[in-house]
Amino acid sequence: MIIEPVIKGVVARSAHPYGCQQAVRKQIDYVKQAKPIERGAKRVLVLGASSGFGLASRIAHTFGGAEADTVGVSFERGPSDQGVGSAGWYNNIFFKQEAEKAGRVATNIVGDAFSQQVRQQVIESVKSDLGGKVDLVVYSLATGVRPNPETGDMWRSVIKTTGKPVVGPTLNLETDSLAEMTVETATDDEVADTVKVMGGEDWASWVQCLSDAGVLAHGCRTVAYSYIGPEVTYPIYHQGTLGRAKEHMHTTAEEINTQLVAIGGQAHVAVCKALVTKASVFIPAFTPYILALFKVMKEKGTHEGCIEQMQRLFNARFYSPKETEQGVLTDEQRLIRMDDWELASDVQQQVSEIMAEMTAENFTQLGDYKGYKQDFMELNGFGFEGVDYQQDITLESLKALQS
Ligand code: NAI
Ligand code: NA
């Protein structure tokens, strides 16, 4: 079969395995020539390892200077009679291939990170594949649902505001159009459920579980990823359901940090830049901001993707660089601000000017729609040079790839 891109709304219904391989290789090539991570963790667990910031964290640690062995957890679909499988499935496979070629351990665990079963699998894998301990736990899950173990029901996150309803243009990647959409006000229950799914509770529970199993190394650290953004986006993000979940995550970081003191460890939240990922394309009324932001940051030469953000996080902020000896670089709230270039006042000034002019007719010119769409296609392995998209690929050959 020839694998073509299929987009429904903002969801990709197909992925190109060899394009995903190219995406992984591109990120590896980037970190190999970037400023290296010094004194990075050597045994790393990544929860949410198959795409976005989690995959980039894993690549940065293995190929960007730390030479880490990794266990990665993700929820992905392999090839079957229903389809070729998800992009993350292939990212896992090709990351592992490259890591093993470089003499590193890379174990992929595919399953529900909220479950006890996957916790058990991870503990066993840390014991057998990482020599029994981890030095770093990266928490990078992004999902809309979390099972409630007590009832067997699902908590579902919603993307709503907590103030007055917001009307804003939302992108449809299938039709390349912007359409007005209303972001409604969340009920208290919807806020609480979103905090359950995307807040810090599961992160804390993972750390507790790993601690109970005795697999956290002395000095073990953990990091989770957050977003705050500029004031123009507060109604839809920071003061919305997702922002409330992130606030919970920030508070949780303090609790985990206190807990880890006993083993000389630390917990941090890194506040990242707005980027195109499988998760972020769902946020309504957010696209005009990203389109304007990409345009301005690319013009200024300060634009970063996931891999640039993560390599900079770990080479300049998270591990104490030899030349400075400053320890982790944070703001007064102990947050690592990787959104510093995004929030620079000259950037935000220009972004606001563009957004004020942006309409459904001119957004492809005023904003960086081309770049946005390219990023989206690349997430699913499409649009890369050097990949033969006319190649006839059999399901059998994909099933034969080792996960
Ligand atoms: P993503 O969708 O690219 O990655 C999510 C990962 O979680 C994937 O590896 C997926 O397989 C895994 N996952 C989802 N549900 C799972 C489950 N039940 N069990 C096991 N694995 C599961 O998302 P992205 O954007 O990298 O998000 C990661 C974190 O970064 C999130 O906390 C997000 O809020 C945060 N962030 C994202 C920003 C953006 O603009 N994309 C900006 C700042 C923070
Ligand atoms: Na991720």
Side-chain angles (χ1 to χ4, degrees):
M1 67 194 148
I2 290 174
I3 303 170
E4 315 238 27
V6 183
I7 303 173
K8 290 280 168 248
V10 293
V11 181
R13 295 249 184 258
S14 69
H16 201 285
Y18 299 109
C20 293
Q21 178 177 37
Q22 188 78 344
V24 168
R25 284 194 177 146
K26 241 178 97 172
Q27 295 190 57
I28 292 172
D29 289 345
Y30 170 75
V31 300
K32 280 186 173 170
Q33 55 75 50
K35 179 168 179 278
I37 298 166
E38 290 175 27
R39 298 188 223 179
K42 297 275 184 208
R43 299 165 295 183
V44 180
L45 167 63
V46 182
L47 302 165
S50 60
S51 62
F53 286 119
L55 175 62
S57 303
R58 194 180 195 189
I59 291 174
H61 274 89
T62 295
F63 294 98
E67 300 184 339
D69 294 333
T70 60
V71 172
V73 178
S74 61
F75 199 70
E76 301 293 346
R77 247 176 314 115
S80 73
D81 298 332
Q82 268 82 59
V84 290
S86 56
W89 176 269
Y90 295 100
N91 293 340
N92 284 338
I93 288 176
F94 292 116
F95 170 80
K96 183 187 169 84
Q97 274 188 10
E98 296 292 336
E100 288 181 347
K101 262 193 256 168
R104 302 269 62 90
V105 172
T107 304
N108 294 322
I109 296 175
V110 176
D112 183 3
F114 295 115
S115 70
Q116 284 309 318
Q117 196 202 336
V118 165
R119 280 164 163 69
Q120 220 38 59
Q121 259 179 285
V122 165
I123 290 163
E124 279 156 29
S125 171
V126 169
K127 289 181 179 165
S128 57
D129 307 332
L130 299 185
K133 304 271 184 192
V134 287
D135 308 300
L136 173 66
V137 178
V138 173
Y139 190 88
S140 187
L141 298 180
T143 172
V145 293
R146 172 183 172 196
N148 177 340
E150 264 140 49
T151 63
D153 293 342
M154 290 287 191
W155 286 301
R156 289 179 193 282
S157 67
V158 298
I159 306 177
K160 292 190 178 180
T161 183
T162 59
K164 282 192 297 240
V166 186
V167 179
T170 297
L171 186 63
N172 184 322
L173 282 153
E174 185 184 347
T175 54
D176 297 311
S177 59
L178 273 188
E180 288 293 311
M181 180 158 157
T182 305
V183 182
E184 304 287 353
T185 309
T187 64
D188 290 346
D189 282 350
E190 286 174 328
V191 172
D193 285 2
T194 306
V195 170
K196 280 283 178 194
V197 178
M198 286 296 286
E201 191 175 75
D202 182 61
W203 180 26
S205 140
W206 262 101
V207 173
Q208 187 62 54
C209 167
L210 297 166
S211 167
D212 292 345
V215 297
L216 299 182
H218 183 80
C220 180
R221 299 174 57 183
T222 185
V223 64
Y225 302 127
S226 179
Y227 185 71
I228 295 175
E231 272 177 52
V232 275
T233 66
Y234 277 9
I236 38 174
Y237 198 101
H238 187 55
Q239 290 161 352
T241 48
L242 289 176
R244 293 286 285 276
K246 291 306 184 190
E247 207 171 283
H248 185 269
M249 177 189 266
H250 300 179
T251 313
T252 307
E254 297 315 298
E255 291 165 15
I256 301 175
N257 195 56
T258 304
Q259 182 192 348
L260 290 181
V261 167
I263 57 163
Q266 294 179 75
H268 284 97
V269 166
V271 183
C272 298
K273 168 180 190 268
L275 280 173
V276 183
T277 67
K278 209 173 90 188
S280 71
V281 292
F282 278 101
I283 305 172
F286 200 62
T287 333
Y289 172 70
I290 299 200
L291 294 178
L293 181 72
F294 278 26
K295 180 96 171 185
V296 173
M297 292 187 82
K298 283 182 183 177
E299 274 168 16
K300 290 195 180 298
T302 58
H303 180 76
E304 296 174 301
C306 285
I307 194 65
E308 289 86 359
Q309 277 265 291
M310 292 300 105
Q311 184 70 11
R312 182 161 73 94
L313 166 63
F314 295 112
N315 73 21
R317 301 285 176 85
F318 195 76
Y319 302 112
S320 146
K322 278 197 182 100
E323 62 269 31
T324 63
E325 300 285 344
Q326 280 172 303
V328 183
L329 300 178
T330 69
D331 67 9
E332 318 75 68
Q333 268 90 52
R334 253 182 28 85
L335 300 170
I336 306 173
R337 300 308 296 259
M338 302 313 297
D339 58 349
D340 48 352
W341 296 352
E342 169 177 353
L343 295 185
S345 58
D346 58 334
V347 169
Q348 288 303 321
Q349 178 61 39
Q350 287 178 37
V351 167
S352 300
E353 285 164 14
I354 293 174
M355 282 177 73
E357 303 285 316
M358 199 180 281
T359 65
E361 284 69 47
N362 67 18
F363 75 98
T364 58
Q365 289 98 55
L366 289 195
D368 180 30
Y369 185 64
K370 201 163 157 259
Y372 188 101
K373 185 83 185 241
Q374 177 71 22
D375 286 358
F376 180 78
M377 298 305 282
E378 288 188 4
L379 288 179
N380 303 294
F382 295 103
F384 284 102
E385 278 176 31
V387 174
D388 176 9
Y389 289 107
Q390 296 313 309
Q391 191 186 349
D392 191 7
I393 298 171
T394 64
L395 210 48
E396 281 58 45
S397 70
L398 297 178
K399 287 180 181 167
L401 292 169
Q402 287 298 306
S403 60

